[in-house]
Amino acid sequence: MPKLISGFIDYTSPAFTPLSMIVIGSNLANLSIKNIKLPTALWGSLFVRNIFFPILGTTILLLLGITGVPLFTTVILSACPVAGLVVLFTLQSNGDARPATVLMSISTILSLVTIPLVYWFASLW
């Protein structure tokens, strides 16, 4: 990559995460408590994303004999909440970002419980 482009990317890339958080936060601020309702399908996706897949992945890693730091690092990363990219892609495609914002927010709040739960599950073995 040319040095000019590489320098530009290195100079501007630290700003991208805060900017995405500002965009997501502004969408969250525009929601009222009445709008924080999730359809049943989204609750199912939260369960699958925050609990089922991390426990399934932990089980597979344990069956493969992976233990210690690689196991626990993978477990914690797999139990992290839904990425903010869901909201950003929804906004970019001119879709309704409310369900995506609510999904990401509730996933983040639930991860306060699910990350320790999945970590505890992995530490049983």
Side-chain angles (χ1 to χ4, degrees):
M1 197 176 309
K3 186 171 178 142
L4 179 67
I5 294 173
S6 172
F8 176 76
I9 290 172
D10 289 342
Y11 183 72
T12 58
S13 62
F16 294 145
T17 300
L19 285 174
S20 69
M21 292 301 151
I22 290 170
V23 170
I24 293 167
S26 68
N27 279 309
L28 188 58
N30 288 332
L31 292 176
S32 68
I33 298 295
K34 297 173 189 173
N35 292 338
I36 302 182
K37 296 177 184 172
L38 284 179
T40 308
L42 289 183
W43 281 108
S45 71
L46 279 174
F47 171 78
V48 168
R49 172 66 181 92
N50 283 39
I51 296 175
F52 179 73
F53 281 147
I55 289 178
L56 177 66
T58 302
T59 305
I60 291 170
L61 291 173
L62 288 169
L63 290 173
L64 291 172
I66 297 173
T67 59
V69 174
L71 171 70
F72 290 112
T73 303
T74 306
V75 165
I76 290 171
L77 289 175
S78 69
C80 284
V82 173
L85 288 175
V86 173
V87 177
L88 298 176
F89 285 145
T90 305
L91 287 170
Q92 189 175 14
S93 65
N94 295 323
D96 183 13
R98 285 180 293 181
T101 304
V102 171
L103 178 69
M104 188 205 69
S105 301
I106 292 176
S107 176
T108 302
I109 293 167
L110 286 177
S111 70
L112 294 172
V113 174
T114 59
I115 291 174
L117 179 70
V118 174
Y119 186 87
W120 169 79
F121 176 76
S123 66
L124 288 177
W125 313 103

